[in-house]
């Protein structure tokens, strides 16, 4: 495994085709960014790879925190995402939104450009409202405004309901984004795991990446790595569950289980499990030991209380960075796609082995999205248009 990242030029050629003139802000190209709220930046900062990664500071106080990080020598790749799409819906008349606690500026997009560049952000994230599935008017209005701006420093944020990836909506999404110069950062909306909640959503995402140059996937989970493997210009993984998808503004966030302990990445299974769940599962058997950069040979069942949240966040981030290095060791294109599919397949195959080892059939079950990435192969690659 090489310790140097794949050259940016090679990554962009793979993602956008050899004749594309796509312009990606240099500090972001090819990176896996970590989404984190301002109050928890310190949980992950020490484990963020300065060469391959960076931060998306998300939510209220993002601008102030980015300014602090930039003045204190924070990561090179640094974005501020006020996340107005969490509370506001895009319309054809007003595709971009402004903070509700400040006086109206009259030009939300212009305001975002001024404010984010002023605090030292590596690029500007557009203040797009949440895009309801099928609302072509709002999507086209936002796309036209970003296209008219034609500023390579501006990343078009597309907080799109996962329903846009359905076969009857995907064509409109592709057509609307394909004509926008620069980077289009898709954030998927829905409850829990949006890619698992819609049949064919993973395939739709792969097709979007194949047919539209310059797509990034932000505010995501395991899909961030799948997107990088399939040619995304950069991607983002959420440090907390709320930063791994976008909940539609009109819906309360759902929880699959009561949260009594931090979520912990089990590296061999490529899944997130509550620390308390891991402690119960391994109470009467040999415990996996983590040797990531943050743990230094720590028992994986030792994150069983909320008091271990800081340690769990460090562990998760360190594991993500190790996955990123493994991914970058493969050349962009078909070889990287195949490697990712095989890596997911190997993780799925470990589940029954772990269950047998702890004497608890069915105790650990692979997440639906992991299963889908493991199954993706030539059938999906066949829809990639010839370059």
């Amino acid at each position: 495994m090489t310790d140097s990242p794949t050259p940016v030029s090679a990554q962009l050629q793979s993602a956008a085709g050899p004749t594309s003139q796509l312009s990606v802000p240099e500090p972001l190209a090819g990176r896996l960014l970590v989404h984190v709220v301002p109050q928890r930046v310190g949980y992950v900062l020490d484990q963020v790879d300065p060469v391959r990664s960076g931060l998306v500071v998300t939510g209220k106080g993002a601008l102030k925190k980015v300014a602090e990080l930039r003045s204190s020598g924070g990561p090179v790749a640094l974005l501020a995402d006020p996340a107005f799409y969490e509370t506001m819906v895009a319309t054809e008349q007003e595709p971009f939104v402004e903070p509700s606690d400040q006086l109206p500026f009259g030009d939300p997009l212009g305001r975002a450009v001024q404010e984010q560049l002023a605090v030292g952000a590596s690029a500007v994230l557009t203040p797009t409202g949440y895009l309801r599935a099928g609302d072509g008017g709002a999507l086209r209005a936002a796309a036209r405004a970003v296209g008219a701006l034609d500023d390579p420093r501006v990343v078009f944020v597309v907080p799109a309901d996962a329903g846009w990836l359905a076969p009857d909506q995907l064509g409109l999404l592709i057509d609307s984004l394909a004509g926008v110069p620069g980077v289009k950062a898709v954030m998927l909306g829905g409850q829990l795991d949006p890619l698992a909640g819609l049949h064919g959503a993973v395939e739709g995402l792969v097709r979007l990446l194949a047919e539209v140059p310059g797509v990034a996937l932000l505010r995501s989970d395991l899909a961030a790595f799948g997107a990088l493997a399939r040619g995304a210009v950069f991607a983002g993984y959420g440090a907390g569950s709320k930063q791994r998808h976008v909940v539609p503004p009109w819906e309360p966030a759902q929880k699959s289980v009561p949260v009594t302990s931090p979520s912990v990445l089990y590296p061999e299974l490529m899944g997130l499990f509550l620390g308390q769940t891991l402690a119960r599962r391994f109470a009467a058997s040999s415990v996996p030991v983590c040797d990531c950069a943050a743990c230094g040979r720590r028992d994986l069942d030792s994150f069983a209380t909320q008091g271990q949240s800081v340690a769990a966040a460090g562990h998760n981030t360190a594991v993500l960075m190790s996955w990123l290095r493994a991914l970058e060791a493969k050349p962009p294109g078909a070889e990287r796609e195949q490697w990712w599919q095989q890596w997911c397949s190997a993780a799925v195959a470990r589940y029954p082995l772990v269950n047998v080892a702890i004497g608890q059939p069915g105790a650990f079950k692979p997440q639906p999205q992991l299963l889908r990435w493991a199954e993706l192969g030539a059938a999906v690659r066949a829809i990639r248009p010839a370059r």
Side-chain angles (χ1 to χ4, degrees):
M1 182 185 300
T2 179
D3 192 45
S4 59
T6 302
V8 169
S9 59
Q11 294 188 23
L12 298 188
Q13 181 169 322
S14 172
T19 61
S20 173
Q21 298 301 312
L22 175 68
S23 177
V24 180
E26 181 64 26
L28 305 177
R31 298 199 181 220
L32 175 75
L33 308 175
V34 179
H35 287 256
V36 62
V37 294
Q39 301 89 334
R40 297 201 169 197
V41 166
Y43 289 21
V44 304
L45 188 56
D46 288 346
Q47 298 302 327
V48 170
D49 188 320
V51 175
R52 300 171 175 86
S53 187
L55 295 178
V56 184
V57 185
T58 303
K60 189 173 182 179
L63 289 169
K64 180 180 178 181
K65 191 64 179 180
V66 166
E68 292 174 0
L69 288 166
R70 189 59 81 203
S71 64
S72 62
V76 172
L78 192 56
L79 296 175
D81 178 21
F84 299 142
Y85 48 77
E86 292 182 337
T87 57
M88 301 292 290
V89 174
T91 65
E92 186 172 2
Q93 295 72 32
E94 296 182 349
F96 305 114
V97 296
E98 293 189 270
S100 58
D101 59 347
Q102 297 182 30
L103 292 175
F105 189 75
D107 178 13
L109 183 54
R111 181 179 195 153
V113 172
Q114 290 184 18
E115 291 182 339
Q116 293 179 40
L117 292 180
V119 299
S122 301
V124 175
L125 299 180
T126 63
T128 321
Y130 188 86
L131 291 161
R132 295 174 183 265
D135 190 346
L139 176 60
R140 286 189 292 265
R144 283 195 299 269
V146 176
L149 200 60
D150 195 19
D151 188 335
R153 301 171 300 176
V154 175
V155 172
F156 180 21
V157 171
V158 187
D161 191 275
W164 279 103
L165 298 178
D168 60 336
Q169 301 294 338
L170 184 58
L172 175 58
L173 180 63
I174 289 173
D175 291 343
S176 299
L177 298 186
V180 180
V183 177
K184 284 72 67 172
V186 175
M187 302 178 180
L188 293 176
Q191 296 287 353
L192 303 175
D193 181 353
L195 283 174
L198 175 69
H199 179 71
V202 172
E203 291 86 345
L205 174 62
V206 169
R207 183 181 165 195
L208 177 68
L209 290 163
E211 299 190 20
V212 180
V215 172
L217 181 66
L218 293 184
R219 201 165 173 135
S220 189
D221 48 18
L222 193 68
F225 290 90
L228 287 174
R230 293 276 176 168
V233 291
F234 57 87
Y237 190 105
S241 59
K242 291 182 179 179
Q243 290 82 56
R244 289 193 280 271
H245 63 290
V246 181
V247 176
W250 59 89
E251 296 180 5
Q254 298 177 9
K255 296 181 180 179
S256 56
V257 293
V259 178
T260 55
S261 57
S263 294
V264 180
L265 269 173
Y266 189 158
E268 288 75 19
L269 298 185
M270 294 179 67
L272 282 163
F273 302 92
L274 291 179
Q276 193 174 72
T277 298
L278 294 174
R280 288 200 305 266
R281 295 285 188 268
F282 292 105
S285 61
S286 178
V287 180
V289 175
C290 180
D291 59 359
C292 75
C295 288
R297 299 198 58 78
R298 173 173 177 157
D299 288 350
L300 204 60
D301 67 347
S302 61
F303 302 96
T305 67
Q306 289 289 16
Q308 296 298 321
S309 295
V310 176
H315 157 81
N316 293 345
T317 307
V319 171
L320 294 176
M321 297 301 107
S322 69
W323 290 0
L324 181 59
R325 289 189 291 272
L327 181 71
E328 285 191 346
K330 302 299 177 181
E335 186 173 341
R336 186 176 287 187
E337 294 174 9
Q338 184 180 25
W339 175 85
W340 172 248
Q341 184 267 332
Q342 292 174 347
W343 207 35
C344 292
S345 296
V348 170
R350 293 187 193 105
Y351 276 78
L353 301 179
V354 171
N355 291 336
V356 168
I358 63 176
Q360 301 176 52
F364 289 106
K365 298 178 180 179
Q367 297 166 358
Q369 191 185 141
L370 176 63
L371 290 170
R372 199 65 201 104
W373 286 113
E375 294 164 356
L376 281 180
V380 174
R381 281 199 296 275
I383 66 173
R384 184 188 297 273
R387 295 297 186 188

